[in-house]
Amino acid sequence: MSVPTSPNPFDSAVSRRAMMRGAVLLGVGATIGGVELLSGTPAFAVTTPTIASCATWGARNPSSTLTQISTNPDKILIHHTATANSTDYTQSHAYSLARTIQNYHMDSNGWSDTGQHFTVSRGGYIMEGRHYSLSHLTSGSGMVVGAHCPGQNDKAIGIENEGTYTSVTPTTALYNNLVQLCAYICSKYGISATKIYGHRDFYSTECPGDAFYAMLPQLRLDVAAALGSTPAFTVTVDNTSSSFRASANWGTSTYSTQRYGADYRYADPVAASDAAYYSATLPSAGNYKIETYYPANTGYNATTPYVVFSSSGNQTVTVNQQANGGKWNTVGTFAFGAGAQDVVAVSRWTSGTGYVIADAIRITQV
C-alpha cells in the first residue's frame, strides 16, 4: 500500500502517535468519583482467533527493550489507522500494512516498536502489533506496555483497525473479526465486554472516527454475546440528544476541541433553578454509574454542581470543569428506579465563577 503523505498517516488528530499518544438545585456535596458493567468468566468457550505473530508478518526487531509487566489489562481501546479505506482485502496487503505501521512508529515517531498491541485489516486479518502482545494474551497473564494512548498504555489493550471511519463504517470482515478478537481478549483477561472504549474516551482525538465510535455500543453487545453473557444497560446522552433539555439561557459553543460531539452548552452561574437536564429510560431498578464528559478550560467553573435524582433523594456532586476535560470522568454510582426519568442535571447555582458546562452524560447499570 502507498504511505499517505500527511504529516501523520496513522491519526488525523493530534494524538498518541505524534506525542507518544425537578428540585431547587442549590446544595453542594463532596466531589466523588466511570463505567463498569458485567464481568466474569464467559458462559462457554470463546473461539480462538487466528492471529499472525510479528514473525509471521515480517516485523523488525524492537530497537530497544520493551517493558513487560505482570499486571493484566483492564480494558480494550479501539483505534482506526486513519489510512485509506483500501479495497485490497488480501493477506499480503494486511501484512504490508503491519510493516508500514511499524516502520512509521519506529522511524518517524522514534518508538522502539509498533505502538498498538493488535491490528485488524479491512480484509479481517488479525495481526500482533507490538512484540510479546500475543504471548501474553495466549497465557492470559501480564502485558507488554504499548504506545497507543497516553495514560492507558499499561492498562489497556490497543487495537488498530485499518481505515478512516469519520463518516463510513468498517467492512463486515473487519468488524466480525474484531468482535472475535475482543471476545478472546476479554475471556483470557477476564475483562467485561463493556470495558471496550474508543481512543477518544481517554485522549483528545477524533480516533476511532465518528462513524466507528457510534458503533461501540453494538460492539460491546456483540462481544458480550460471543462471551455468552448478558450485557448491562448503558446509554450516552449528549446535549444534542432529545433526552437533553435546557432553557434558552444556555448558549451553544464549539470553542473547545475537547467537546464530546458537535458542540456543548454553557451558562453563567446564577442563584436560580435553571439547570440542564439529562433523562433516560432505565430498564430496571438498581445501581447505575454516572459519568460526565466536558471540555475543560481555566475560564470554566471549578465547582459545577451535578444534581443526581437518585431513588434515595437528590444528591449533589461538584465537578471541577477547569481540569480533566476531553474524557469521561466519574460522578458516582447511585440507585434509581425503573422507567423514564430525569437522571442528572447540571446546575447553574454555584458560588464558583466561570461558565458552567453541559456536554454529555453516560449512564451505565452496574
Side-chain angles (χ1 to χ4, degrees):
M1 77 180 245
S2 61
V3 177
T5 57
S6 62
N8 189 343
F10 300 110
D11 203 336
S12 57
V14 176
S15 77
R16 66 204 180 280
R17 299 172 179 82
M19 304 177 67
M20 199 300 291
R21 253 260 132 226
V24 177
L25 308 181
L26 41 83
V28 183
T31 302
I32 57 180
V35 163
E36 183 175 349
L37 305 185
L38 298 180
S39 61
T41 304
F44 53 86
V46 172
T47 301
T48 302
T50 299
I51 303 175
S53 68
C54 289
T56 299
W57 57 260
R60 296 156 56 182
N61 290 326
S63 61
S64 61
T65 302
L66 301 177
T67 301
Q68 300 178 66
I69 57 178
S70 59
T71 54
N72 287 349
D74 61 8
K75 65 180 72 70
I76 297 171
L77 295 193
I78 302 300
H79 304 269
H80 70 175
T81 60
T83 54
N85 291 328
S86 174
T87 55
D88 186 344
Y89 304 135
T90 63
Q91 183 185 77
S92 61
H93 168 79
Y95 290 2
S96 175
L97 170 74
R99 292 191 294 272
T100 298
I101 292 175
Q102 186 189 40
N103 289 339
Y104 185 83
H105 286 179
M106 295 179 70
D107 299 337
S108 295
N109 288 356
W111 299 347
S112 54
D113 197 2
T114 301
Q116 73 275 9
H117 296 93
F118 298 97
T119 308
V120 185
S121 76
R122 284 172 56 81
Y125 290 96
I126 304 171
M127 296 157 286
E128 182 180 24
R130 179 158 288 213
H131 284 79
Y132 309 118
S133 298
L134 184 56
S135 60
H136 280 289
L137 174 60
T138 302
S139 68
S141 176
M143 64 182 294
V144 58
V145 176
H148 61 96
C149 180
Q152 296 298 319
N153 291 313
D154 59 350
K155 302 176 180 67
I157 295 295
I159 304 176
E160 284 285 358
N161 296 275
E162 181 191 9
T164 300
Y165 300 112
T166 53
S167 58
V168 299
T169 56
T171 63
T172 299
L174 186 156
Y175 181 81
N176 287 346
N177 284 352
L178 175 62
V179 170
Q180 187 180 36
L181 174 60
C182 287
Y184 184 65
I185 293 170
C186 288
S187 70
K188 296 299 288 187
Y189 285 123
I191 300 172
S192 164
T194 50
K195 288 281 192 175
I196 300 172
Y197 300 97
H199 181 200
R200 65 173 65 177
D201 287 327
F202 294 91
Y203 195 72
S204 181
T205 175
E206 295 178 5
C207 183
D210 289 346
F212 202 175
Y213 187 77
M215 296 177 67
L216 295 191
Q218 185 61 49
L219 177 62
R220 298 180 191 110
L221 292 172
D222 291 339
V223 171
L227 289 167
S229 61
T230 301
F233 170 86
T234 183
V235 63
T236 300
V237 183
D238 191 15
N239 74 94
T240 58
S241 167
S242 60
S243 297
F244 173 90
R245 71 182 189 279
S247 75
N249 296 323
W250 288 77
T252 302
S253 177
T254 59
Y255 172 75
S256 177
T257 58
Q258 290 186 343
R259 63 186 183 270
Y260 175 78
D263 54 42
Y264 56 98
R265 307 297 290 274
Y266 68 95
D268 286 311
V270 63
S273 181
D274 185 26
Y277 293 85
Y278 298 82
S279 63
T281 301
L282 305 183
S284 60
N287 292 326
Y288 291 81
K289 188 169 286 187
I290 308 298
E291 293 176 294
T292 178
Y293 198 109
Y294 56 84
N297 187 284
T298 54
Y300 296 161
N301 208 288
T303 56
T304 298
Y306 281 66
V307 181
V308 181
F309 305 111
S310 73
S311 57
S312 59
N314 296 348
Q315 300 185 49
T316 302
V317 179
T318 59
V319 174
N320 180 4
Q321 294 186 324
Q322 295 183 358
N324 299 314
K327 65 185 184 73
W328 289 107
N329 294 281
T330 300
V331 176
T333 299
F334 307 88
F336 292 91
Q341 58 196 284
D342 288 330
V343 174
V344 64
V346 178
S347 174
R348 298 175 62 193
W349 201 317
T350 173
S351 59
T353 59
Y355 288 133
V356 172
I357 304 300
D359 195 352
I361 292 290
R362 186 158 62 187
I363 307 160
T364 304
Q365 188 176 26
V366 295

